[in-house]
Amino acid sequence: CSNLTAFAKLYSPITGLSINALIIIMAVLSLFFIIPSGLKTVAWTDFIFGCLMVVVGVIVAVVTANMAGGMTHVIETVPSEIVEFPGAFFSVGLSTVLLWIFSLTPGGMTNQMYYQRILAAKDTNQVRKSLLISAICCMIAYVWAVIVGLSVRSMNPSLEGEMATGWLMDQMPVWVVAVFSGLVVCTILSTISSGVQSVVVNLNRDIYRVVKPDVEDKKAVKVSRILSVVIVFTAALVAMFFPQVLSLLVITYSYSAAGLV
């Protein structure tokens, strides 16, 4: 839901299309990725998109920092409280930080997309390797967010957070916008596809196959495809009626936290 909204908010100013129209377009595009081979499609596209994200992300970070006058200039022009250590960790307010920790951490721990990939691995060594790669990718993503986020803040201090990426894409050279647009689409498409496939696997294997244990594989695949369509368009409806990306993430992760408690 949140990724559908994010896509629509980013591309509405560029394309001139309404947010709801873009949500539907991305929902349909996601189905083309999921339906043919399910988890196999998602796994391969995640890998290809992941490699693309790292390469393009580095290009975008360098260009953005240069547009802002270099990181030294960026650090000097943004408010000191958001870059000083350790105060920057609490610059958004202690209550907000605690809310994020108590909602996002259990949300990550209960994320079915992670578990399904771990349980699909052939041996323990693959799991260890994948966890190490995940940790490295998380650090790369964190550094990228800091560089790009602070650079945008330096160039446009009054900008709302959720509008930052869309504004940045409007300021970049055309060739960078084209590359960056591809990165954003890949990231969002990959996440939506993974999320939908995760829910489908839970509904199909943990509920449908328990109720009907003798169901034929061919029929189970058909059920998976039907569930994919239902889930994607349910998500699209939620995204249309709840267009705040960060709020939606915090709220949904809070349900995971409440369940664990």
Side-chain angles (χ1 to χ4, degrees):
C1 297
S2 59
N3 277 270
L4 287 170
T5 306
F7 171 79
K9 281 191 171 183
L10 286 173
Y11 286 92
S12 185
I14 297 172
T15 61
L17 296 173
S18 69
I19 287 178
N20 286 353
L22 287 169
I23 286 173
I24 293 171
I25 289 170
M26 178 52 85
V28 172
L29 190 60
S30 299
L31 284 175
F32 280 111
F33 264 79
I34 301 163
I35 288 177
S37 293
L39 186 58
K40 186 180 289 186
T41 305
V42 172
W44 273 107
T45 53
D46 277 1
F47 169 72
I48 295 167
F49 288 166
C51 295
L52 184 63
M53 287 175 205
V54 174
V55 175
V56 177
V58 171
I59 295 171
V60 171
V62 171
V63 171
T64 306
N66 287 337
M67 285 171 55
M71 286 309 296
T72 302
H73 179 261
V74 168
I75 298 299
E76 291 173 351
T77 52
V78 298
S80 59
E81 65 267 18
I82 68 172
V83 291
E84 291 177 347
F85 182 83
F89 285 113
F90 303 99
S91 59
V92 293
L94 181 61
S95 60
T96 302
V97 172
L98 290 175
L99 174 65
W100 286 347
I101 290 173
F102 286 117
S103 62
L104 297 178
T105 303
M109 290 166 59
T110 57
N111 194 320
Q112 293 298 301
M113 289 188 284
Y114 302 156
Y115 288 110
Q116 286 172 10
R117 280 161 172 70
I118 290 170
L119 294 172
K122 292 180 179 179
D123 56 61
T124 309
N125 289 330
Q126 283 190 339
V127 175
R128 290 176 182 149
K129 190 186 297 182
S130 65
L131 290 174
L132 177 61
I133 294 171
S134 297
I136 294 169
C137 289
C138 284
M139 289 307 301
I140 293 172
Y142 174 75
V143 173
W144 185 89
V146 169
I147 293 172
V148 176
L150 290 179
S151 297
V152 172
R153 176 68 179 266
S154 174
M155 291 185 281
N156 192 343
S158 60
L159 198 63
E160 290 184 26
E162 289 194 0
M163 305 305 295
T165 308
W167 178 86
L168 176 61
M169 290 172 69
D170 202 35
Q171 308 300 313
M172 287 179 161
V174 175
W175 72 271
V176 181
V177 173
V179 173
F180 193 20
S181 297
L183 168 69
V184 172
V185 172
C186 288
T187 305
I188 292 175
L189 188 59
S190 172
T191 309
I192 293 172
S193 302
S194 298
V196 172
Q197 180 62 28
S198 176
V199 178
V200 168
V201 169
N202 285 338
L203 292 175
N204 197 346
R205 290 191 173 275
D206 299 338
I207 297 177
Y208 181 70
R209 282 179 180 255
V210 172
V211 175
K212 291 192 172 184
D214 56 344
V215 66
E216 295 179 1
D217 288 342
K218 191 174 181 180
K219 187 174 181 181
V221 170
K222 185 179 179 181
V223 169
S224 291
R225 288 172 174 159
I226 294 170
L227 286 171
S228 297
V229 175
V230 172
I231 291 161
V232 167
F233 282 101
T234 302
L237 287 173
V238 173
M240 290 177 190
F241 287 102
F242 201 105
Q244 291 79 34
V245 179
L246 185 59
S247 299
L248 182 60
L249 283 173
V250 172
I251 287 171
T252 51
Y253 277 140
S254 296
Y255 289 125
S256 298
L260 286 176
V261 171

